[in-house]
Amino acid sequence: MFSFFKKKPGATAPESGPPADPAPAAPPAPADPAPPAPAVAPPAAEAAPASAGGLGWLRNPFARPAAAPMAPAREEAPAPAQAAAPSMPAPAPAPAPELAPTLPEPIQELALPDPVATPRKGWMDRLRGGLRKTSASIATVFTGTRIDDALYEELEDALLMADTGVKATEHLLADLKRRVKESRATDPAAVKGLLADALTDLLRQLEKPLVIGEFTPTVVMVAGVNGAGKTTSIGKLTRHLAQAGASVLLAAADTFRAAAREQLGVWADRNTVEIISQEGGDPAAVSYDAVIAGRARRKDVVLVDTAGRLPTQLHLMEELRKIKRTIAKAGNAPGPDGMGSPPHEVLLVIDGNTGQNAVTQVRAFDDALQLTGLIVTKLDGTAKGGVLAAIAQERPLPVYFIGVGEKLEDLETFSAREFAQALLA
């Protein structure tokens, strides 16, 4: 959200006070007193908008509107000239006018621009490049001249090959046929546009912003299997938060994987943020210390990096549950108020190349940790992308971010319309 500060124009200063009574005439040569000089009202203070503050892709911005500009100091009116005759008393100076106070208008909150109305061109180019394998396969379906059963059969095969899944494919085909019938479309190219609309509606339930700033600190626990890009995604998310003005504390609770602590430390140095780590320490203990330190230091966000776990490793999945319980205990420990019940966000990082296995991971981690959102990575040319439709159909959890590469700018917020257009470009 952006906050704009406006200010009412200053009220025009009234004219100078009533003129003083004229002095009585002197017998020799009466001299008229000089008229009092009118007081000049200072110009009204112009309103200066405050700098727009906000995190862009987050709610509850940390930036604050600038203070209201102060009105210029009032100038005193010059004293009137004295009478020529020495025996006559000088008239009293006119009283200075009282300036009307200048009051600011209430702060207005405006919604962020719609990413569809103002497309992110550079990001869309990278997203289309990452999904070009699927888009090229689907585009061949609409090269014919007729809309018949053969077209729908070819489209069904293309969607299944794109990891869309059986349930999501059936849903999309049924919705597409309904739209074709209602619009009376006769051109296969028009059917492609209707398919983009159907896919957008299916993915819309995954479109939700990440809430940061409601609690102090906001504790985000990040899980995922080894190799999904979990630690790298944490580093990129830290960069976004730090650039937006949020103070971040990292917790290196991945003590299972070799060099994981050092890798997260590199990201902490790049983003100039603090990190809590212990060599060979217990992951739950590191998480507890990080939450306590985040509360004491009044950090905005605490990001907890956990060890990679496969859903089939039940004893290791239990360790993730232990970390979550320990974070909750740290939130209930004596300390500043406003903590809520951490962790406030439990994110799962999934690899876009894993296909339908990603749905299995989402289901298993959600059952164990009650996930609040997803980060989908590595949509970089080899991933098929249709797995998001399968997730929307079977386990519709919010997708906060999607990544198409290793660069910092390759992690962006998820938009259903942008993703559908890139997938069917």
Side-chain angles (χ1 to χ4, degrees), residues 355-368:
Q356 288 298 298
N357 188 34
V359 181
T360 304
Q361 294 179 21
V362 171
R363 188 183 299 113
F365 278 92
D366 188 30
D367 293 340

Side-chain angles (χ1 to χ4, degrees), residues 19-26 29-37 80-85 88-92:
D21 295 334
D32 293 334
Q82 294 185 354
M88 299 305 298

Side-chain angles (χ1 to χ4, degrees), residues 246-261:
S247 57
V248 182
L249 179 66
L250 299 180
D254 186 358
T255 59
F256 181 78
R257 181 170 62 91
R261 182 171 59 92

Side-chain angles (χ1 to χ4, degrees), residues 129-154:
L131 299 175
R132 63 182 179 271
K133 183 176 182 179
T134 298
S135 60
S137 175
I138 295 179
T140 57
V141 177
F142 302 100
T143 56
T145 58
R146 299 178 56 185
I147 302 176
D148 51 14
D149 293 339
L151 183 145
Y152 289 118
E153 290 178 1
E154 292 180 9

